[in-house]
Amino acid sequence: DAGVTQSPTHLIKTRGQHVTLRCSPISGHKSVSWYQQVLGQGPQFIFQYYEKEERGRGNFPDRFSARQFPNYSSELNVNALLLGDSALYLCASSLGPWTTSTDTQYFGPGTRLTVL
Amino acid sequence: AQKVTQAQTEISVVEKEDVTLDCVYETRDTTYYLFWYKQPPSGELVFLIRRNSFDEQNEISGRYSWNFQKSTSSFNFTITASQVVDSAVYFCALSEAEGNNRLAFGKGNQVVVIP
């Protein structure tokens, strides 16, 4: 079975531009979460979507937005890019809207964004 | 608010030695979930093991074992008989039980296994 997939793998943008990152969850998973990981740090939670509804939002500015489609895939959009947005963006999928004794988040390979 | 602390940054061990990674967490919830993930140089976070706050016993899975101490809010992870393929960054993470499945991660431990 395919795991979580993300595209593109790498991306280079300049300050002020807009970027869209894409994620497809594991088949049967209805929840998608996005995390930002800057170099040398642990991942930071950005958003969670479940059944196309936003379930959680981390401490990120409004330049960050996301949505989930009927097939449970998701897009993360970042407007007006800043140098500090350079990071690895990770997508995770899980079955349900919250962690349970058996539901675990599985991560994709990430999209490495460089802002020049 | 949930918080995870991993104090050590880089740990070097010789192949076949055991390596233990420390994790201390903070949460106000009585039900919560703890995880260890591995991040090799490729970047993908790989799920290793998990522990629910209400589980009774610590467990072993292959070369991995973990020690959950609720009294000290610690969730330590041990790799037995380390191998070169174990070289990676290891993250401890916490999820609380309500609202969403947000994971709070520590800063990670870089493990280098020397052949």
Side-chain angles (χ1 to χ4, degrees), chain B residues 13-38:
Chain B
V13 296
V14 175
E15 198 171 20
K16 298 184 184 175
E17 288 183 343
D18 297 349
V19 55
T20 295
L21 308 179
D22 299 330
C23 173
V24 174
Y25 62 91
E26 292 177 32
T27 178
R28 286 178 285 191
D29 279 14
T30 54
T31 299
Y32 49 90
Y33 307 93
L34 294 160
F35 303 82
W36 279 95
Y37 285 88
K38 173 184 178 181

PDB file of all heavy atoms in Angstrom, chain B residues 13-38:
ATOM      1  N   VAL B  13      27.775   6.532  19.434  1.00  0.00           N
ATOM      2  CA  VAL B  13      28.007   5.220  20.027  1.00  0.00           C
ATOM      3  C   VAL B  13      28.732   4.354  19.013  1.00  0.00           C
ATOM      4  O   VAL B  13      28.633   4.570  17.801  1.00  0.00           O
ATOM      5  CB  VAL B  13      26.690   4.527  20.451  1.00  0.00           C
ATOM      6  CG1 VAL B  13      26.009   5.309  21.548  1.00  0.00           C
ATOM      7  CG2 VAL B  13      25.763   4.332  19.274  1.00  0.00           C
ATOM      8  N   VAL B  14      29.453   3.373  19.529  1.00  0.00           N
ATOM      9  CA  VAL B  14      30.101   2.396  18.667  1.00  0.00           C
ATOM     10  C   VAL B  14      29.084   1.295  18.368  1.00  0.00           C
ATOM     11  O   VAL B  14      28.271   0.930  19.236  1.00  0.00           O
ATOM     12  CB  VAL B  14      31.364   1.816  19.341  1.00  0.00           C
ATOM     13  CG1 VAL B  14      31.986   0.715  18.498  1.00  0.00           C
ATOM     14  CG2 VAL B  14      32.365   2.927  19.619  1.00  0.00           C
ATOM     15  N   GLU B  15      29.132   0.801  17.163  1.00  0.00           N
ATOM     16  CA  GLU B  15      28.198  -0.245  16.747  1.00  0.00           C
ATOM     17  C   GLU B  15      28.142  -1.369  17.782  1.00  0.00           C
ATOM     18  O   GLU B  15      29.163  -1.748  18.364  1.00  0.00           O
ATOM     19  CB  GLU B  15      28.634  -0.799  15.395  1.00  0.00           C
ATOM     20  CG  GLU B  15      27.575  -1.563  14.647  1.00  0.00           C
ATOM     21  CD  GLU B  15      27.996  -1.899  13.232  1.00  0.00           C
ATOM     22  OE1 GLU B  15      29.213  -1.882  12.952  1.00  0.00           O
ATOM     23  OE2 GLU B  15      27.110  -2.169  12.412  1.00  0.00           O
ATOM     24  N   LYS B  16      26.920  -1.857  18.014  1.00  0.00           N
ATOM     25  CA  LYS B  16      26.577  -2.925  18.955  1.00  0.00           C
ATOM     26  C   LYS B  16      26.407  -2.429  20.387  1.00  0.00           C
ATOM     27  O   LYS B  16      25.960  -3.204  21.238  1.00  0.00           O
ATOM     28  CB  LYS B  16      27.585  -4.084  18.914  1.00  0.00           C
ATOM     29  CG  LYS B  16      27.649  -4.776  17.562  1.00  0.00           C
ATOM     30  CD  LYS B  16      28.566  -5.974  17.575  1.00  0.00           C
ATOM     31  CE  LYS B  16      28.678  -6.574  16.182  1.00  0.00           C
ATOM     32  NZ  LYS B  16      29.647  -7.672  16.108  1.00  0.00           N
ATOM     33  N   GLU B  17      26.753  -1.179  20.650  1.00  0.00           N
ATOM     34  CA  GLU B  17      26.440  -0.624  21.967  1.00  0.00           C
ATOM     35  C   GLU B  17      24.957  -0.262  22.020  1.00  0.00           C
ATOM     36  O   GLU B  17      24.306  -0.050  21.005  1.00  0.00           O
ATOM     37  CB  GLU B  17      27.276   0.628  22.242  1.00  0.00           C
ATOM     38  CG  GLU B  17      28.734   0.361  22.512  1.00  0.00           C
ATOM     39  CD  GLU B  17      29.490   1.641  22.841  1.00  0.00           C
ATOM     40  OE1 GLU B  17      28.979   2.740  22.542  1.00  0.00           O
ATOM     41  OE2 GLU B  17      30.602   1.520  23.401  1.00  0.00           O
ATOM     42  N   ASP B  18      24.439  -0.171  23.247  1.00  0.00           N
ATOM     43  CA  ASP B  18      23.076   0.302  23.437  1.00  0.00           C
ATOM     44  C   ASP B  18      23.087   1.828  23.534  1.00  0.00           C
ATOM     45  O   ASP B  18      24.061   2.430  23.986  1.00  0.00           O
ATOM     46  CB  ASP B  18      22.483  -0.261  24.725  1.00  0.00           C
ATOM     47  CG  ASP B  18      22.369  -1.773  24.712  1.00  0.00           C
ATOM     48  OD1 ASP B  18      22.544  -2.379  23.623  1.00  0.00           O
ATOM     49  OD2 ASP B  18      22.105  -2.353  25.774  1.00  0.00           O
ATOM     50  N   VAL B  19      22.002   2.433  23.104  1.00  0.00           N
ATOM     51  CA  VAL B  19      21.877   3.884  23.229  1.00  0.00           C
ATOM     52  C   VAL B  19      20.494   4.207  23.780  1.00  0.00           C
ATOM     53  O   VAL B  19      19.486   3.655  23.329  1.00  0.00           O
ATOM     54  CB  VAL B  19      22.118   4.604  21.877  1.00  0.00           C
ATOM     55  CG1 VAL B  19      21.212   4.074  20.793  1.00  0.00           C
ATOM     56  CG2 VAL B  19      21.994   6.093  22.005  1.00  0.00           C
ATOM     57  N   THR B  20      20.462   5.072  24.778  1.00  0.00           N
ATOM     58  CA  THR B  20      19.206   5.483  25.413  1.00  0.00           C
ATOM     59  C   THR B  20      18.992   6.973  25.207  1.00  0.00           C
ATOM     60  O   THR B  20      19.895   7.773  25.460  1.00  0.00           O
ATOM     61  CB  THR B  20      19.204   5.152  26.910  1.00  0.00           C
ATOM     62  OG1 THR B  20      19.244   3.725  27.068  1.00  0.00           O
ATOM     63  CG2 THR B  20      17.944   5.674  27.583  1.00  0.00           C
ATOM     64  N   LEU B  21      17.800   7.321  24.762  1.00  0.00           N
ATOM     65  CA  LEU B  21      17.431   8.710  24.509  1.00  0.00           C
ATOM     66  C   LEU B  21      16.402   9.141  25.549  1.00  0.00           C
ATOM     67  O   LEU B  21      15.435   8.413  25.801  1.00  0.00           O
ATOM     68  CB  LEU B  21      16.857   8.857  23.096  1.00  0.00           C
ATOM     69  CG  LEU B  21      17.726   8.282  21.978  1.00  0.00           C
ATOM     70  CD1 LEU B  21      17.035   8.476  20.628  1.00  0.00           C
ATOM     71  CD2 LEU B  21      19.094   8.940  21.970  1.00  0.00           C
ATOM     72  N   ASP B  22      16.633  10.324  26.123  1.00  0.00           N
ATOM     73  CA  ASP B  22      15.762  10.811  27.187  1.00  0.00           C
ATOM     74  C   ASP B  22      14.704  11.760  26.639  1.00  0.00           C
ATOM     75  O   ASP B  22      14.971  12.564  25.739  1.00  0.00           O
ATOM     76  CB  ASP B  22      16.583  11.556  28.250  1.00  0.00           C
ATOM     77  CG  ASP B  22      17.618  10.661  28.906  1.00  0.00           C
ATOM     78  OD1 ASP B  22      17.372   9.444  29.002  1.00  0.00           O
ATOM     79  OD2 ASP B  22      18.677  11.187  29.316  1.00  0.00           O
ATOM     80  N   CYS B  23      13.522  11.686  27.214  1.00  0.00           N
ATOM     81  CA  CYS B  23      12.423  12.573  26.825  1.00  0.00           C
ATOM     82  C   CYS B  23      11.622  12.911  28.075  1.00  0.00           C
ATOM     83  O   CYS B  23      11.226  12.013  28.823  1.00  0.00           O
ATOM     84  CB  CYS B  23      11.534  11.882  25.792  1.00  0.00           C
ATOM     85  SG  CYS B  23      10.022  12.784  25.368  1.00  0.00           S
ATOM     86  N   VAL B  24      11.400  14.200  28.289  1.00  0.00           N
ATOM     87  CA  VAL B  24      10.564  14.661  29.394  1.00  0.00           C
ATOM     88  C   VAL B  24       9.423  15.463  28.797  1.00  0.00           C
ATOM     89  O   VAL B  24       9.628  16.269  27.893  1.00  0.00           O
ATOM     90  CB  VAL B  24      11.373  15.527  30.379  1.00  0.00           C
ATOM     91  CG1 VAL B  24      10.459  16.117  31.444  1.00  0.00           C
ATOM     92  CG2 VAL B  24      12.483  14.708  31.019  1.00  0.00           C
ATOM     93  N   TYR B  25       8.230  15.244  29.270  1.00  0.00           N
ATOM     94  CA  TYR B  25       7.069  15.907  28.677  1.00  0.00           C
ATOM     95  C   TYR B  25       6.265  16.649  29.729  1.00  0.00           C
ATOM     96  O   TYR B  25       6.388  16.388  30.927  1.00  0.00           O
ATOM     97  CB  TYR B  25       6.181  14.877  27.958  1.00  0.00           C
ATOM     98  CG  TYR B  25       5.618  13.830  28.877  1.00  0.00           C
ATOM     99  CD1 TYR B  25       4.383  14.007  29.501  1.00  0.00           C
ATOM    100  CD2 TYR B  25       6.326  12.656  29.128  1.00  0.00           C
ATOM    101  CE1 TYR B  25       3.884  13.057  30.367  1.00  0.00           C
ATOM    102  CE2 TYR B  25       5.833  11.693  29.990  1.00  0.00           C
ATOM    103  CZ  TYR B  25       4.609  11.900  30.609  1.00  0.00           C
ATOM    104  OH  TYR B  25       4.120  10.955  31.457  1.00  0.00           O
ATOM    105  N   GLU B  26       5.450  17.602  29.264  1.00  0.00           N
ATOM    106  CA  GLU B  26       4.540  18.340  30.132  1.00  0.00           C
ATOM    107  C   GLU B  26       3.161  18.317  29.508  1.00  0.00           C
ATOM    108  O   GLU B  26       3.003  18.615  28.317  1.00  0.00           O
ATOM    109  CB  GLU B  26       4.982  19.806  30.283  1.00  0.00           C
ATOM    110  CG  GLU B  26       6.272  20.008  31.040  1.00  0.00           C
ATOM    111  CD  GLU B  26       6.656  21.470  31.070  1.00  0.00           C
ATOM    112  OE1 GLU B  26       5.751  22.327  31.091  1.00  0.00           O
ATOM    113  OE2 GLU B  26       7.878  21.758  31.079  1.00  0.00           O
ATOM    114  N   THR B  27       2.166  18.008  30.295  1.00  0.00           N
ATOM    115  CA  THR B  27       0.786  18.060  29.847  1.00  0.00           C
ATOM    116  C   THR B  27      -0.122  18.167  31.047  1.00  0.00           C
ATOM    117  O   THR B  27       0.216  17.673  32.130  1.00  0.00           O
ATOM    118  CB  THR B  27       0.409  16.818  29.012  1.00  0.00           C
ATOM    119  OG1 THR B  27      -0.970  16.887  28.639  1.00  0.00           O
ATOM    120  CG2 THR B  27       0.640  15.532  29.790  1.00  0.00           C
ATOM    121  N   ARG B  28      -1.270  18.815  30.848  1.00  0.00           N
ATOM    122  CA  ARG B  28      -2.256  18.889  31.936  1.00  0.00           C
ATOM    123  C   ARG B  28      -3.337  17.820  31.776  1.00  0.00           C
ATOM    124  O   ARG B  28      -4.182  17.645  32.651  1.00  0.00           O
ATOM    125  CB  ARG B  28      -2.887  20.285  31.961  1.00  0.00           C
ATOM    126  CG  ARG B  28      -1.943  21.340  32.517  1.00  0.00           C
ATOM    127  CD  ARG B  28      -2.548  22.716  32.495  1.00  0.00           C
ATOM    128  NE  ARG B  28      -2.557  23.251  31.137  1.00  0.00           N
ATOM    129  CZ  ARG B  28      -2.834  24.515  30.861  1.00  0.00           C
ATOM    130  NH1 ARG B  28      -3.139  25.371  31.808  1.00  0.00           N
ATOM    131  NH2 ARG B  28      -2.826  24.949  29.606  1.00  0.00           N
ATOM    132  N   ASP B  29      -3.299  17.123  30.642  1.00  0.00           N
ATOM    133  CA  ASP B  29      -4.299  16.086  30.410  1.00  0.00           C
ATOM    134  C   ASP B  29      -3.957  14.819  31.191  1.00  0.00           C
ATOM    135  O   ASP B  29      -2.777  14.521  31.422  1.00  0.00           O
ATOM    136  CB  ASP B  29      -4.361  15.742  28.922  1.00  0.00           C
ATOM    137  CG  ASP B  29      -5.184  16.738  28.145  1.00  0.00           C
ATOM    138  OD1 ASP B  29      -5.483  17.815  28.695  1.00  0.00           O
ATOM    139  OD2 ASP B  29      -5.537  16.437  26.994  1.00  0.00           O
ATOM    140  N   THR B  30      -4.968  14.066  31.541  1.00  0.00           N
ATOM    141  CA  THR B  30      -4.734  12.785  32.213  1.00  0.00           C
ATOM    142  C   THR B  30      -4.619  11.655  31.188  1.00  0.00           C
ATOM    143  O   THR B  30      -4.069  10.605  31.500  1.00  0.00           O
ATOM    144  CB  THR B  30      -5.877  12.472  33.192  1.00  0.00           C
ATOM    145  OG1 THR B  30      -7.119  12.545  32.487  1.00  0.00           O
ATOM    146  CG2 THR B  30      -5.879  13.457  34.350  1.00  0.00           C
ATOM    147  N   THR B  31      -5.150  11.880  30.000  1.00  0.00           N
ATOM    148  CA  THR B  31      -5.013  10.911  28.909  1.00  0.00           C
ATOM    149  C   THR B  31      -4.196  11.560  27.802  1.00  0.00           C
ATOM    150  O   THR B  31      -4.553  12.641  27.315  1.00  0.00           O
ATOM    151  CB  THR B  31      -6.379  10.478  28.366  1.00  0.00           C
ATOM    152  OG1 THR B  31      -7.125   9.842  29.406  1.00  0.00           O
ATOM    153  CG2 THR B  31      -6.195   9.497  27.220  1.00  0.00           C
ATOM    154  N   TYR B  32      -3.118  10.918  27.432  1.00  0.00           N
ATOM    155  CA  TYR B  32      -2.250  11.468  26.394  1.00  0.00           C
ATOM    156  C   TYR B  32      -1.474  10.322  25.765  1.00  0.00           C
ATOM    157  O   TYR B  32      -1.522   9.174  26.243  1.00  0.00           O
ATOM    158  CB  TYR B  32      -1.299  12.527  26.965  1.00  0.00           C
ATOM    159  CG  TYR B  32      -0.559  12.097  28.206  1.00  0.00           C
ATOM    160  CD1 TYR B  32       0.682  11.460  28.120  1.00  0.00           C
ATOM    161  CD2 TYR B  32      -1.101  12.322  29.480  1.00  0.00           C
ATOM    162  CE1 TYR B  32       1.357  11.062  29.258  1.00  0.00           C
ATOM    163  CE2 TYR B  32      -0.430  11.915  30.610  1.00  0.00           C
ATOM    164  CZ  TYR B  32       0.790  11.294  30.505  1.00  0.00           C
ATOM    165  OH  TYR B  32       1.448  10.897  31.637  1.00  0.00           O
ATOM    166  N   TYR B  33      -0.770  10.650  24.682  1.00  0.00           N
ATOM    167  CA  TYR B  33      -0.100   9.633  23.889  1.00  0.00           C
ATOM    168  C   TYR B  33       1.313  10.106  23.569  1.00  0.00           C
ATOM    169  O   TYR B  33       1.522  11.262  23.211  1.00  0.00           O
ATOM    170  CB  TYR B  33      -0.882   9.376  22.593  1.00  0.00           C
ATOM    171  CG  TYR B  33      -2.336   9.075  22.856  1.00  0.00           C
ATOM    172  CD1 TYR B  33      -3.284  10.094  22.844  1.00  0.00           C
ATOM    173  CD2 TYR B  33      -2.759   7.784  23.153  1.00  0.00           C
ATOM    174  CE1 TYR B  33      -4.609   9.829  23.119  1.00  0.00           C
ATOM    175  CE2 TYR B  33      -4.085   7.511  23.417  1.00  0.00           C
ATOM    176  CZ  TYR B  33      -5.017   8.535  23.411  1.00  0.00           C
ATOM    177  OH  TYR B  33      -6.328   8.269  23.684  1.00  0.00           O
ATOM    178  N   LEU B  34       2.260   9.201  23.678  1.00  0.00           N
ATOM    179  CA  LEU B  34       3.662   9.524  23.457  1.00  0.00           C
ATOM    180  C   LEU B  34       4.208   8.684  22.314  1.00  0.00           C
ATOM    181  O   LEU B  34       3.851   7.503  22.172  1.00  0.00           O
ATOM    182  CB  LEU B  34       4.467   9.261  24.734  1.00  0.00           C
ATOM    183  CG  LEU B  34       4.111  10.175  25.903  1.00  0.00           C
ATOM    184  CD1 LEU B  34       4.561   9.575  27.217  1.00  0.00           C
ATOM    185  CD2 LEU B  34       4.738  11.550  25.703  1.00  0.00           C
ATOM    186  N   PHE B  35       5.093   9.278  21.540  1.00  0.00           N
ATOM    187  CA  PHE B  35       5.605   8.622  20.339  1.00  0.00           C
ATOM    188  C   PHE B  35       7.115   8.863  20.226  1.00  0.00           C
ATOM    189  O   PHE B  35       7.635   9.872  20.704  1.00  0.00           O
ATOM    190  CB  PHE B  35       4.946   9.214  19.079  1.00  0.00           C
ATOM    191  CG  PHE B  35       3.457   9.139  19.065  1.00  0.00           C
ATOM    192  CD1 PHE B  35       2.678  10.086  19.724  1.00  0.00           C
ATOM    193  CD2 PHE B  35       2.812   8.122  18.389  1.00  0.00           C
ATOM    194  CE1 PHE B  35       1.292  10.014  19.716  1.00  0.00           C
ATOM    195  CE2 PHE B  35       1.427   8.041  18.363  1.00  0.00           C
ATOM    196  CZ  PHE B  35       0.676   8.988  19.038  1.00  0.00           C
ATOM    197  N   TRP B  36       7.760   7.944  19.539  1.00  0.00           N
ATOM    198  CA  TRP B  36       9.114   8.167  19.057  1.00  0.00           C
ATOM    199  C   TRP B  36       9.104   7.982  17.546  1.00  0.00           C
ATOM    200  O   TRP B  36       8.561   6.985  17.030  1.00  0.00           O
ATOM    201  CB  TRP B  36      10.121   7.204  19.688  1.00  0.00           C
ATOM    202  CG  TRP B  36      10.563   7.633  21.047  1.00  0.00           C
ATOM    203  CD1 TRP B  36      10.046   7.239  22.249  1.00  0.00           C
ATOM    204  CD2 TRP B  36      11.623   8.553  21.358  1.00  0.00           C
ATOM    205  NE1 TRP B  36      10.709   7.861  23.286  1.00  0.00           N
ATOM    206  CE2 TRP B  36      11.679   8.663  22.766  1.00  0.00           C
ATOM    207  CE3 TRP B  36      12.528   9.295  20.586  1.00  0.00           C
ATOM    208  CZ2 TRP B  36      12.606   9.484  23.411  1.00  0.00           C
ATOM    209  CZ3 TRP B  36      13.446  10.102  21.232  1.00  0.00           C
ATOM    210  CH2 TRP B  36      13.475  10.190  22.632  1.00  0.00           C
ATOM    211  N   TYR B  37       9.715   8.982  16.866  1.00  0.00           N
ATOM    212  CA  TYR B  37       9.875   8.939  15.427  1.00  0.00           C
ATOM    213  C   TYR B  37      11.363   9.021  15.103  1.00  0.00           C
ATOM    214  O   TYR B  37      12.145   9.654  15.815  1.00  0.00           O
ATOM    215  CB  TYR B  37       9.172  10.134  14.761  1.00  0.00           C
ATOM    216  CG  TYR B  37       7.672  10.047  14.691  1.00  0.00           C
ATOM    217  CD1 TYR B  37       6.883  10.508  15.750  1.00  0.00           C
ATOM    218  CD2 TYR B  37       7.034   9.544  13.569  1.00  0.00           C
ATOM    219  CE1 TYR B  37       5.490  10.452  15.678  1.00  0.00           C
ATOM    220  CE2 TYR B  37       5.640   9.493  13.488  1.00  0.00           C
ATOM    221  CZ  TYR B  37       4.882   9.946  14.552  1.00  0.00           C
ATOM    222  OH  TYR B  37       3.516   9.893  14.478  1.00  0.00           O
ATOM    223  N   LYS B  38      11.717   8.419  13.974  1.00  0.00           N
ATOM    224  CA  LYS B  38      13.096   8.443  13.471  1.00  0.00           C
ATOM    225  C   LYS B  38      13.124   9.244  12.174  1.00  0.00           C
ATOM    226  O   LYS B  38      12.233   9.076  11.322  1.00  0.00           O
ATOM    227  CB  LYS B  38      13.564   7.008  13.207  1.00  0.00           C
ATOM    228  CG  LYS B  38      14.905   6.867  12.521  1.00  0.00           C
ATOM    229  CD  LYS B  38      15.193   5.389  12.240  1.00  0.00           C
ATOM    230  CE  LYS B  38      16.512   5.202  11.517  1.00  0.00           C
ATOM    231  NZ  LYS B  38      16.781   3.761  11.230  1.00  0.00           N
TER     232      LYS B  38
END
